[in-house]
């Protein structure tokens, strides 16, 4: 069985602060894919990043960065110098690559509120 | 705009009724996914299709069924509706099962 845990239900930060959203996963598969999605108040989910289990390099995209650590089964997401537009619910997700079975598992989401 | 379309945007119906939600994936995407999002349940994966075949099943009730047609659009059928089925239903598509998903705007279903 696989599981994705986002222990932080809600986070509030003041604009320009840095914030890290945690994601811890469990899977028996050696090959898998991890994702982050953003759901702003408008409701539509937006893809942010995809990472495969063989690539542990951290990634930076503007103010966003991701820290993938296989040793701790974590794929954390950091927003630097947060802005009000970052206010959203963020979901972490896992897809295994085990033959034909590729059920996606989403975490419960972390609601981020950036206060101006 | 993700390129995934869903119709209708809103649906209000009574308990016991049956509804059909429709999804058109992004051009070229072969995988289609259905999700249910309610306030107290988060984002629940229902079912996945790839090129017309069912690939994975999540927490989909027996009252619910789906299919993907040869033109790759998909329909989610919800029958014997209950108040608890009121939720936002999302469709997503991807090029292949391990790739990122692009979500439609959702269909908000209200069962009265």
């Amino acid at each position: 069985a696989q599981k994705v845990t986002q222990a932080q239900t809600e986070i509030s930060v003041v604009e320009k602060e840095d914030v890290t959203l945690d994601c811890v996963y469990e899977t028996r598969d050696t090959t898998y894919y991890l994702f982050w999605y953003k759901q702003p108040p408008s409701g539509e989910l937006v893809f942010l990043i995809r990472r495969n289990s063989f690539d542990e390099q951290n990634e930076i995209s503007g103010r966003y960065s991701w820290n993938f650590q296989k040793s701790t089964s974590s794929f954390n997401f950091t927003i630097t110098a947060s802005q009000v537009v970052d206010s959203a619910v963020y979901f972490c997700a896992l897809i295994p690559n085990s033959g034909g079975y590729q059920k996606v598992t989403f975490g419960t989401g972390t609601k981020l509120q950036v206060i101006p | 705009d993700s390129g995934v379309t869903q119709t209708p945007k809103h649906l209000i119906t009574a308990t016991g009724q049956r509804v059909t939600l429709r999804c058109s994936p992004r051009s070229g995407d072969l995988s289609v996914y259905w999700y249910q999002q309610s306030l107290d349940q988060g984002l629940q994966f229902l079912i996945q299709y790839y090129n017309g075949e069912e690939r994975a099943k999540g927490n989909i009730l027996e009252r619910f069924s789906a299919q993907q047609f040869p033109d790759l659009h998909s329909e989610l059928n919800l029958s014997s509706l209950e108040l608890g089925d009121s939720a936002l239903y999302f469709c997503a598509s991807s090029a292949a099962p391990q790739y990122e998903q692009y979500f439609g705007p959702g269909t908000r279903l209200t069962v009265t």
Side-chain angles (χ1 to χ4, degrees):
Chain A
Q2 56 194 45
K3 188 176 179 181
V4 175
T5 301
Q6 294 180 255
Q8 304 151 309
T9 307
E10 291 192 38
I11 302 176
S12 288
V13 299
V14 176
E15 200 171 20
K16 298 185 183 176
E17 286 184 348
D18 298 348
V19 58
T20 295
L21 310 182
D22 298 333
C23 173
V24 174
Y25 61 91
E26 295 175 29
T27 180
R28 287 178 288 189
D29 293 275
T30 55
T31 305
Y32 48 89
Y33 300 86
L34 295 163
F35 305 80
W36 276 95
Y37 291 87
K38 174 182 180 180
Q39 187 176 34
S42 59
E44 194 161 335
L45 283 109
V46 177
F47 163 74
L48 295 177
I49 190 171
R50 170 182 182 261
R51 172 69 71 215
N52 76 57
S53 53
F54 293 114
D55 183 2
E56 288 194 68
Q57 281 193 341
N58 291 333
E59 181 155 339
I60 299 174
S61 176
R63 296 183 298 105
Y64 294 173
S65 62
W66 290 269
N67 182 4
F68 176 32
Q69 290 197 338
K70 244 175 148 174
S71 59
T72 56
S73 297
S74 65
F75 187 40
N76 296 336
F77 173 31
T78 297
I79 301 175
T80 303
S82 60
Q83 300 177 1
V84 173
V85 292
D86 297 327
S87 296
V89 179
Y90 291 87
F91 292 94
C92 180
L94 166 74
I95 297 180
N97 187 28
S98 51
Y101 182 70
Q102 294 144 341
K103 177 182 168 182
V104 58
T105 299
F106 274 79
T108 51
T110 296
K111 183 176 182 180
L112 174 65
Q113 183 178 14
V114 181
I115 304 165
Chain B
D1 186 354
S2 68
V4 178
T5 60
Q6 287 187 249
T7 56
K9 286 189 177 178
H10 302 276
L11 199 48
I12 301 175
T13 189
T15 54
Q17 295 298 305
R18 171 190 168 96
V19 297
T20 297
L21 312 184
R22 182 188 168 104
C23 169
S24 292
R26 287 191 324 158
S27 177
D29 283 356
L30 299 179
S31 280
V32 169
Y33 308 76
W34 285 99
Y35 296 88
Q36 179 192 58
Q37 187 176 40
S38 51
L39 282 175
D40 58 347
Q41 293 290 326
L43 191 65
Q44 298 291 318
F45 167 68
L46 296 178
I47 198 164
Q48 175 200 349
Y49 285 85
Y50 178 72
N51 204 18
E53 292 186 4
E54 183 183 305
R55 267 298 178 96
K57 245 180 180 177
N59 302 319
I60 188 166
L61 299 172
E62 285 190 9
R63 300 184 285 109
F64 296 180
S65 64
Q67 54 182 326
Q68 185 179 29
F69 294 86
D71 67 353
L72 301 178
H73 91 272
S74 178
E75 292 181 357
L76 178 66
N77 300 296
L78 315 175
S79 61
S80 303
L81 286 168
E82 301 174 359
L83 295 177
D85 297 327
S86 296
L88 195 52
Y89 290 84
F90 285 106
C91 169
S93 74
S94 68
Q98 294 90 6
Y99 285 79
E100 59 272 18
Q101 297 175 31
Y102 292 88
F103 284 77
T107 293
R108 181 166 294 282
L109 173 66
T110 302
V111 182
T112 62

